[in-house]
Every structure is written in C-alpha cells, then in structure tokens.
Amino acid sequence: LGLFRLADRYRGIQKVILGMGDYGFPTRILSRRMGSMWTYTSAADSSLAAPGQASPETLREVYYHSRINASDTILCVIGNPVMHSKSPLIHNRGLKLLGLPYIYIPILVDEIDAFFELAEYLGIAGVSVMVPHKEAVLGHCADVSDEVAYTRACNTLLKREGGWTGSNTDIAGFLLSFKRFLGCHSLSGEKIVVLGAGGAAKGIVFGLKQEGAEILIANRTAAHAERLAGELGCRGIALAKEQYPTIEAFGDIFVQTTSCGMHPYEELDPLALRPHPYEFHLYYDS
C-alpha cells in the first residue's frame, strides 16, 4: 500500500518503484499502472534470479503486461501461500478472450485488514480467497450467500454498491466434478472420509451432507475435526496412526483438503504415517 501511494505521490516523475520478494510481486505486474519506466524480470533463458521475480514469458503470456493500463479494473487471488495458484493463468486468459478490461493478480496476504485497505485504495472489484483467509474475510462482508452463512467459509468476494458480497463456489464446483469423477448422479448413502477440517473442508462437508452422504472428518488436530463434525452433524476423528483402522473401515472414498500437496508441501501425503494401499485419483485444491 505504501508503494502504491508513493507511486501516486510522484505521478509524472520518471521513476521505477519496485517491491521485492513475493510480497512485492503486484508492483512488478502493475508497473505501468504505477508509472514506472520499466519493470524487472529474470533473463529469458535462465531461472528466476530473486523471489517474486517473473520471467518475460510470464509477464507476456499470463499477465499481458504491455496491455495493462490505468483504466483496467483489478481482480486478485489472496492467500498465504498464493504464488503457486494457477488462477491468474486461467482467469487472465479468459478475460482476454472475453475482451473484458480487467487484470487478475496474486497478492500474498498476512493481515486481512491491511489487504482491505489496499483493496479500497486500488479499487479492487473481485477477490478469490484461498487458505487461510476464508473465514477472516467475513468480517468485511456486507452480505453473504446462504452457503457462506452456514459454513462460515467464503472463497469469492465481489464489491457491490453496499460493500463486499461473499459467496462460496467451492461447493458447487467440487460436487459437479466429484460426481462426474465417480460416474454417479447422487451421493446419497455414500461413506466418504474428508481429510482436513479447515475452510475448504467446511464447504465440502456441507455440500456432501446436502447430497445425503455419510461423512467422517479426519484431521491432525482432533478437536478441530470434532468441532466441525458437531457443527455439520457428522463424525470427527484424529488423523493419527492409532485411528487408521477406524478410517479404513469407514469407507473407500477420500477427499483431501489439507495443505499437503500444495506449495511448499508438494511431497507430503496426509496419510503417510505408515504404508497404505490408498490410490488418490482426485485432489481438491482449496
């Protein structure tokens, strides 16, 4: 926020304003909007030279850097971590194909209140919300969907005239792909183990319960699993070695919602406490 204010203060003066590391990544993407004479990248034929640095190909092919101007409305994805997200690649390509005047960027966020100050200053119109902020953003919502009101997990924010409106597209998106993967039209009576008890798990368990499935929530901290299970009317258990027989006996379908598999935990398996026969065909990225 301080750098964007500085850019506006010295509007019209030749300058380059740059924030370092992953936190400064938005200043590299929005350098033209900030009035910087240029932005820095890695060399085209080398690996990234510093954290937060983008390659020329990324600037051209993901963010369409040369086309960004002051009239473009900013959309973003927030989280911690966030730089691994494929959302900018997906959404910027879609926005370009639709001819819409938006730019979609990742913003690494620690303090949610500070982010909303930045959002107000930059006129950010829409936000995709990743872990760990799916509950924290609710304090800034003027209105929320029924799914968010029940699960207390929000993954999408839109700025309306009366303030921010929160919704949860995780649920519908997950159920659609999940049933397609299983080749069924109904989940009624299915016994499903949900690994994790965070914001993504809340939305998934809510959706599965609406479909009539029986759920066992397994989480590293048993109290979190039990609390979520109590809220949504299912069972909660510790994701621990001594509980593996119970987990194995419950069902054959597992939904993975923990941070295992996401940067920087790409090699971690939430069920790796001992060798196991599970074969994961579906990974849900929160």
Side-chain angles (χ1 to χ4, degrees):
L1 179 59
L3 291 177
F4 281 101
R5 285 174 171 161
L6 187 67
D8 287 337
R9 178 180 177 184
Y10 293 101
R11 186 68 60 182
I13 295 177
Q14 290 186 332
K15 62 186 180 296
V16 174
I17 295 181
L18 178 69
M20 300 300 290
D22 290 342
Y23 289 99
F25 189 77
T27 67
R28 297 177 185 268
I29 303 303
L30 299 176
S31 60
R32 290 165 56 87
R33 178 174 175 138
M34 297 179 77
S36 289
M37 298 168 65
W38 60 76
T39 191
Y40 287 90
T41 76
S42 64
D45 58 352
S46 69
S47 60
L48 301 184
Q53 201 170 68
S55 68
E57 292 79 13
T58 297
L59 289 181
R60 286 196 305 263
E61 299 168 14
V62 177
Y63 296 100
Y64 307 103
H65 178 267
S66 63
R67 303 184 184 188
I68 299 174
N69 58 60
S71 63
D72 289 339
T73 301
I74 299 174
L75 308 173
C76 67
V77 55
I78 65 170
N80 191 352
V82 75
M83 297 305 295
H84 66 285
S85 174
K86 302 299 183 186
S87 294
L89 174 64
I90 296 168
H91 291 299
N92 282 321
R93 184 171 296 176
L95 293 167
K96 179 188 176 187
L97 290 173
L98 294 171
L100 298 174
Y102 295 90
I103 176 65
Y104 186 105
I105 64 173
I107 302 179
L108 180 60
V109 172
D110 287 329
E111 298 290 340
I112 201 67
D113 292 344
F115 164 73
F116 278 101
E117 286 187 59
L118 177 67
E120 185 68 26
Y121 189 81
L122 294 180
I124 293 174
V127 184
S128 302
V129 185
M130 295 175 59
V131 293
H133 303 305
K134 295 190 177 189
E135 294 181 66
V137 297
L138 297 181
H140 293 267
C141 289
D143 189 29
V144 297
S145 67
D146 292 341
E147 292 85 356
V148 172
Y150 191 83
T151 64
R152 304 298 294 172
C154 170
N155 81 326
T156 303
L157 295 169
L158 290 175
K159 189 65 178 293
R160 306 292 193 189
E161 187 173 337
W164 291 99
T165 297
S167 61
N168 189 314
T169 63
D170 284 336
I171 299 170
F174 168 74
L175 290 175
L176 177 66
S177 60
F178 193 51
K179 288 190 284 187
R180 182 181 297 161
F181 167 75
L182 293 174
C184 66
H185 298 290
S186 172
L187 296 174
S188 180
E190 294 283 1
K191 291 188 174 182
I192 300 172
V193 178
V194 175
L195 305 177
K202 283 187 178 183
I204 284 173
V205 174
F206 174 79
L208 291 174
K209 288 290 292 183
Q210 294 292 98
E211 291 280 324
E214 296 182 40
I215 311 298
L216 175 65
I217 302 171
N219 188 64
R220 184 175 59 180
T221 304
H224 294 169
E226 292 165 358
R227 183 175 67 245
L228 180 57
E231 293 174 0
L232 297 175
C234 53
R235 293 175 58 192
I237 197 171
L239 184 54
K241 186 176 181 179
E242 59 270 20
Q243 298 291 1
Y244 267 96
T246 301
I247 294 171
E248 290 176 342
F250 184 83
D252 297 324
I253 303 174
F254 288 73
V255 180
Q256 143 72 332
T257 75
T258 76
S259 58
C260 293
M262 295 172 61
H263 179 79
Y265 309 113
E266 291 91 343
E267 304 304 318
L268 294 185
D269 181 340
L271 288 173
L273 294 177
R274 67 169 178 79
H276 56 77
Y278 304 118
E279 183 175 349
F280 289 95
H281 296 282
L282 178 68
Y283 175 73
Y284 179 70
D285 184 349
S286 63

